[in-house]
């Protein structure tokens, strides 16, 4: 009887220890969580070609179809391996659900060239968060069009180059404190401080562990820009120091509906805006600090080879309107 009483007295302590162990195990598992990774092998010679488009989904209007046409032509010339979307994939307010016809009308039926039947890696923009953000992340869309892959944050490993895709919309304070007439889909984001802290930690860790020759970060929002939206102060304060500390080569974004190239004055980092996928010509320009600024529609190509990296911007006619190259021993403007 005494033994039974002793065991009964020990049960509360045992349960307490068990609960603590479960909580610690959960916290540890969350602490070591990593960004999801995808392998995308380069060509047989080790080279890699991508196209970059942003701020595009308008059912073919505002010259979206014309930009898509030129993307198909250039995609064939450079033998493109995959396409990057910098967000604001569907206007004006993302998708309503996984059955929204806008997915077909703004994506599948627009980017029809054979060269564009490759993998698309996409991030969400602020307009995407104004709709059903979870719909764009759903594998159901991948079943509808196998090219489509959209996640909040993830990594694409391609041997000599690593691409780090980052969910930048939750960084902007105004979307939470002053959303105006918009409603944002913050499912899986709240509590925001916790979400951002984990994301920054995971990005920093992934960049530090990367052994790739080229480190390229993709997000929707600008870090540096002379366009309508200008610099995103939250990213300048929180993300930029991580990129500079980890020797990131390129930060590629959309958000400003233009084509733009700014060179960092503090590091080799280049800021590249490809947000001219459809509606543009806003007539806004804050300063003259950029290397290149074009307030019109277009897109960007990125070619990575053994000896370096080549970047080109194209207008709606497929004309090269800016180009830039670098290797690891020097870089040059052209």
């Amino acid at each position: 009887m005494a033994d039974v009483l002793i065991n009964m007295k020990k049960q509360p302590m045992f349960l307490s220890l068990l609960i603590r162990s479960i909580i610690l195990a959960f916290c540890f598992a969350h602490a070591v969580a990593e960004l999801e990774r995808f392998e995308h092998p380069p060509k047989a010679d080790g080279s890699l070609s991508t196209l970059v488009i942003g701020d595009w989904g308008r059912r073919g209007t505002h010259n979206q179809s014309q930009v898509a046409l030129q993307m198909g032509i250039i995609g064939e010339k450079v033998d493109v391996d995959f396409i990057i979307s910098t967000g604001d994939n569907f206007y004006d307010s993302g998708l309503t659900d996984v059955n929204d016809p806008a997915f077909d009308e703004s994506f599948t039926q627009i980017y029809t060239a054979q060269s564009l039947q490759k993998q698309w890696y996409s991030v969400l923009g602020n307009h995407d968060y104004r709709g059903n953000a979870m719909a764009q992340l759903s594998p159901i869309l991948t079943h509808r069009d196998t090219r489509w892959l959209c996640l909040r944050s993830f990594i694409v490993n391609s041997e000599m180059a690593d691409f780090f895709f980052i969910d930048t919309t939750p960084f902007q304070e105004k979307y939470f404190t002053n959303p105006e007439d918009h409603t944002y889909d913050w499912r899986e984001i709240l509590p925001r401080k916790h979400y951002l802290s984990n994301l920054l930690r995971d990005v920093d860790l992934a960049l530090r562990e990367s052994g790739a020759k080229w480190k390229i970060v993709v997000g929707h929002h600008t870090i540096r820009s002379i366009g309508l939206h200008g610099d995103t102060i939250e990213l300048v304060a929180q993300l930029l120091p991580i990129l500079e500390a980890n020797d990131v080569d390129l930060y590629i974004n959309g958000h400003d509906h233009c084509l733009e190239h700014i060179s960092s004055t503090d590091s080799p980092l280049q800021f590249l805006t490809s947000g001219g996928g459809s509606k543009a010509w806003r007539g806004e320009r804050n300063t003259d600090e950029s290397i290149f600024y074009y307030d019109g529609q277009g897109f960007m190509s990125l070619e990575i080879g053994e000896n370096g990296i080549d970047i080109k911007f194209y207008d709606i006619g497929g004309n090269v309107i800016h180009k830039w190259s670098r290797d690891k021993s020097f870089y040059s403007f052209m």
Side-chain angles (χ1 to χ4, degrees):
M1 185 65 177
D3 291 340
V4 173
L5 290 173
I6 291 173
N7 287 335
M8 290 178 64
K9 290 179 180 179
K10 287 183 177 180
Q11 280 184 357
M13 181 179 295
F14 172 76
L15 290 174
S16 176
L17 290 173
L18 179 61
I19 292 171
R20 289 183 183 181
S21 298
I22 291 172
I23 293 172
L24 287 172
F26 174 81
C27 292
F28 176 76
H30 190 71
V32 298
E34 294 182 350
L35 301 177
E36 189 167 0
R37 294 175 181 265
F38 299 89
E39 298 293 330
H40 198 117
K43 299 179 181 69
D45 63 359
S47 66
L48 181 75
S49 300
T50 74
L51 298 181
V52 184
I53 186 75
D55 304 83
W56 43 268
R58 297 182 186 272
R59 292 179 166 88
T61 65
H62 296 279
N63 290 329
Q64 183 193 359
S65 293
Q66 286 79 357
V67 173
L69 174 65
Q70 295 302 327
M71 286 178 65
I73 295 170
I74 300 302
E76 183 176 356
K77 287 182 179 179
V78 302
D79 191 13
V80 65
D81 294 287
F82 58 83
I83 295 93
I84 292 171
S85 170
T86 59
D88 277 2
N89 307 314
F90 302 98
Y91 284 94
D92 278 325
S93 299
L95 298 178
T96 57
D97 54 41
V98 295
N99 299 309
D100 192 330
F103 180 74
D104 295 316
E105 295 167 358
S106 290
F107 178 60
T108 301
Q109 297 171 12
I110 301 297
Y111 302 100
T112 57
Q114 186 60 39
S115 66
L116 304 181
Q117 305 309 302
K118 305 290 178 69
Q119 183 68 63
W120 284 58
Y121 295 110
S122 306
V123 292
L124 297 172
N126 53 299
H127 281 268
D128 300 312
Y129 268 102
R130 292 176 186 174
N132 186 336
M134 302 295 289
Q136 291 195 48
L137 308 178
S138 173
I140 293 175
L141 293 188
T142 304
H143 289 303
R144 288 176 61 180
D145 190 321
T146 56
R147 295 176 294 172
W148 183 258
L149 191 150
C150 182
L151 296 173
R152 296 189 195 278
S153 300
F154 60 100
I155 301 170
V156 175
N157 300 123
S158 194
E159 295 187 9
M160 74 173 74
D162 282 346
F163 296 80
F164 304 84
F165 293 77
I166 299 177
D167 183 20
T168 60
T169 300
F171 282 91
Q172 283 230 276
E173 182 74 21
K174 69 179 182 179
Y175 299 141
F176 295 85
T177 59
N178 186 28
E180 299 178 337
D181 295 329
H182 306 299
T183 299
Y184 291 86
D185 183 1
W186 296 131
R187 286 176 293 174
E188 298 187 353
I189 301 299
L190 303 176
R192 174 174 172 245
K193 184 177 180 180
H194 184 68
Y195 176 81
L196 294 179
S197 175
N198 288 338
L199 177 55
L200 289 169
R201 179 204 61 210
D202 291 345
V203 169
D204 185 34
L205 177 62
L207 286 169
R208 281 191 280 115
E209 292 181 343
S210 172
K213 186 174 184 179
W214 302 97
K215 297 180 184 180
I216 300 166
V217 175
V218 179
H220 176 65
H221 290 77
T222 62
I223 292 183
R224 298 292 189 192
S225 173
I226 65 169
L228 176 67
H229 294 103
D231 296 353
T232 304
I233 58 174
E234 296 91 344
L235 295 181
V236 172
Q238 299 177 65
L239 181 61
L240 181 56
I242 293 175
L243 305 190
E244 292 179 332
N246 289 285
D247 300 318
V248 169
D249 298 284
L250 309 176
Y251 177 75
I252 301 173
N253 61 272
H255 198 44
D256 269 338
H257 295 186
C258 63
L259 306 175
E260 182 179 17
H261 178 192
I262 294 177
S263 183
S264 172
T265 58
D266 302 313
S267 72
L269 180 59
Q270 306 298 307
F271 303 100
L272 304 167
T273 298
S274 184
S278 59
K279 188 177 182 180
W281 302 110
R282 292 187 169 186
E284 297 283 345
R285 182 168 179 162
N286 295 319
T287 68
D288 291 318
E289 295 177 358
S290 67
I291 297 170
F292 164 74
Y293 181 85
Y294 177 70
D295 185 27
Q297 291 105 341
F299 59 98
M300 187 182 90
S301 69
L302 176 62
E303 297 178 78
I304 304 175
E306 181 180 355
N307 296 321
I309 193 167
D310 293 294
I311 293 164
K312 295 177 182 176
F313 286 91
Y314 304 85
D315 66 12
I316 197 171
N319 304 299
V320 176
I321 53 178
H322 175 69
K323 57 184 178 179
W324 178 88
S325 65
R326 168 185 280 175
D327 67 21
K328 285 301 183 180
S329 60
F330 69 95
Y331 64 94
S332 62
F333 301 102
M334 295 188 283

